[in-house]
Amino acid sequence: MLRIVGLLLGMVAAAGCGESGPSKTSAELPNQVGEPGKGDWRTNAYTDFRGEVRVDDTFVDTYQPAGAALYQGYTLELEEGDIVDIRVAGLSSGFDAVAGLYGPQRRSGAWGNLIAANDDAPEGGTLNSHIPFEAAKTGKYLVIVRDYSFEDGDFSLSVSCAGGTCEANQCKPLVCEEYCEFGHQLDYLGCEQCSCNPAPSCQWINPPPYVRCAGIETYGKNPVDGTCCQYPSPCYIPEGYEHFATEGACLGLAAEGEGCSLYGTQCQNGLECQFVCPDGSTDGNCNLGINPSGTCVSTAPAAECQTDADCVVTGCSGQMCAPEARFSTCEYRPEYACYGEPTTSCGCNNGSCGWDQTDALTACLAGN
């Protein structure tokens, strides 16, 4: 017991602040590289085994050392000749990752001594860990992770194929194909991993609940109380909820051209219910004892013109530009002489007929 306590204290005392530079492996992980004659008991005794990570996979987890469990372990199946990049990246601010690799596992269940380790990635600039590794034997390997100072924090463990016998950049099984617009997959940080055809395809991330689709707003209706909630993608909508492309559809609001009523189905924003009453009128209050029905129509005013040809010069003195001939009083004003060629012209502007506001027209009006 004293031996175990002394060992733990020695390991804690060896911990310090992470820094970029050469890998530091001394007194950071059980069964260090090049330590002959050490038993395997330390690897198992101090490791919390958390699950399996696969090649071209990402495992997101929280480091929380408790008691003797100073390390968190993740198994990894490799084939002889596989060349992989093992990376541990801190997701919490200040998380200083330390990673070690053991294996392949023996029939006895032992992992053997440490075969590779890294504190600060050789690329520099981060506190992340990077272990490039080529498997000399087929079998189950063990990746163990810790924070340099044994502080709690979130991190990701990713294993990617770098060559050899493994197949690099394979797209994962896609979900929600009918909803996604973009032909690529992203990892949990939003970094593009590979392209998938034909589009549309989905973004993918493991483990749940990180599955998501890209850039699509959608709505889901709670089957219990009927409330509608907005979600970033259909992938987030809980099971049993109905899917809707718009909030109006989720709320049961009718779109343009669809049926509506005075006391029932309402129209979406920008539309109004054009009622048809029993007497043929469109007055919604024609009979308060009846629920008149109608059709959702746009409230936007109709354009009076589409092209310049839809507008004419009119008025007693030719001073007006309108979609049809109009009457006006026949008194003459000097500024009326400004309306016409070559000073300006009558035409259609944004759906309305009017005189072209030229510099010549402005100058002419200022002189009268």
Side-chain angles (χ1 to χ4, degrees):
M1 185 65 171
L2 291 176
R3 180 181 178 184
I4 295 176
V5 172
L7 173 63
L8 290 173
L9 291 175
M11 294 173 73
V12 173
C17 296
E19 57 187 34
S20 299
S23 299
K24 300 189 287 296
T25 60
S26 177
E28 293 180 358
L29 301 167
N31 305 331
Q32 296 298 312
V33 175
E35 282 190 347
K38 297 295 183 182
D40 182 65
W41 63 272
R42 289 196 298 180
T43 304
N44 285 301
Y46 299 148
T47 301
D48 177 11
F49 292 88
R50 308 281 288 186
E52 178 185 9
V53 62
R54 299 177 178 87
V55 176
D56 283 328
D57 200 356
T58 298
F59 201 113
V60 178
D61 207 350
T62 299
Y63 175 73
Q64 292 179 307
L70 300 178
Y71 313 99
Q72 292 182 186
Y74 308 85
T75 58
L76 169 64
E77 296 278 357
L78 295 177
E79 300 288 335
E80 179 181 349
D82 285 354
I83 302 175
V84 296
D85 277 330
I86 302 171
R87 295 180 180 268
V88 181
L91 303 180
S92 297
S93 177
F95 188 89
D96 188 354
V98 179
L101 180 65
Y102 301 77
Q105 189 177 31
R106 301 166 186 171
R107 291 183 179 179
S108 65
W111 294 103
N113 280 359
L114 189 67
I115 56 177
N118 181 252
D119 173 12
D120 297 320
E123 298 93 330
T126 72
L127 300 177
N128 301 334
S129 295
H130 176 201
I131 300 177
F133 178 71
E134 181 174 359
K137 296 180 180 179
T138 297
K140 182 180 291 186
Y141 291 77
L142 174 67
V143 181
I144 66 172
V145 178
R146 56 161 280 200
D147 171 75
Y148 192 98
S149 301
F150 302 99
E151 298 290 341
D152 294 359
D154 297 328
F155 67 92
S156 67
L157 166 62
S158 63
V159 180
S160 59
C161 180
T165 57
C166 64
E167 297 181 2
N169 297 324
Q170 293 299 301
C171 292
K172 307 298 186 299
L174 302 179
V175 294
C176 308
E177 279 192 10
E178 66 270 30
Y179 301 115
C180 298
E181 296 178 328
F182 306 108
H184 59 262
Q185 296 176 0
L186 306 183
D187 65 12
Y188 67 98
L189 292 175
C191 303
E192 185 170 341
Q193 297 299 291
C194 57
S195 296
C196 303
N197 290 309
S201 63
C202 243
Q203 295 178 329
W204 177 94
I205 183 63
N206 184 65
Y210 300 99
V211 178
R212 64 193 190 280
C213 295
I216 301 173
E217 293 181 354
T218 190
Y219 296 83
K221 178 178 286 187
N222 188 317
V224 177
D225 60 17
T227 57
C228 292
C229 292
Q230 183 177 0
Y231 296 87
S233 82
C235 295
Y236 279 113
I237 295 181
E239 184 177 356
Y241 281 48
E242 290 184 82
H243 294 198
F244 298 92
T246 66
E247 183 178 20
C250 186
L251 292 171
L253 301 178
E256 187 170 8
E258 294 180 350
C260 54
S261 63
L262 181 60
Y263 304 116
T265 304
Q266 302 298 300
C267 297
Q268 298 183 20
N269 288 338
L271 304 175
E272 65 180 11
C273 192
Q274 187 175 81
F275 298 108
V276 178
C277 295
D279 60 1
S281 71
T282 58
D283 180 7
N285 296 314
C286 56
N287 188 332
L288 296 180
I290 297 176
N291 182 15
S293 61
T295 303
C296 292
V297 298
S298 174
T299 57
E304 64 180 13
C305 62
Q306 300 293 327
T307 67
D308 290 347
D310 297 329
C311 302
V312 296
V313 177
T314 186
C316 185
S317 301
Q319 79 278 19
M320 301 171 65
C321 177
E324 71 280 325
R326 292 178 179 174
F327 295 102
S328 70
T329 57
C330 289
E331 77 274 11
Y332 182 79
R333 297 179 181 179
E335 61 264 25
Y336 289 173
C338 298
Y339 295 108
E341 302 286 354
T343 308
T344 183
S345 60
C346 174
C348 185
N349 183 22
N350 294 326
S352 299
C353 292
W355 296 105
D356 187 14
Q357 299 299 303
T358 63
D359 292 339
L361 176 61
T362 302
C364 182
L365 293 174
N368 288 283

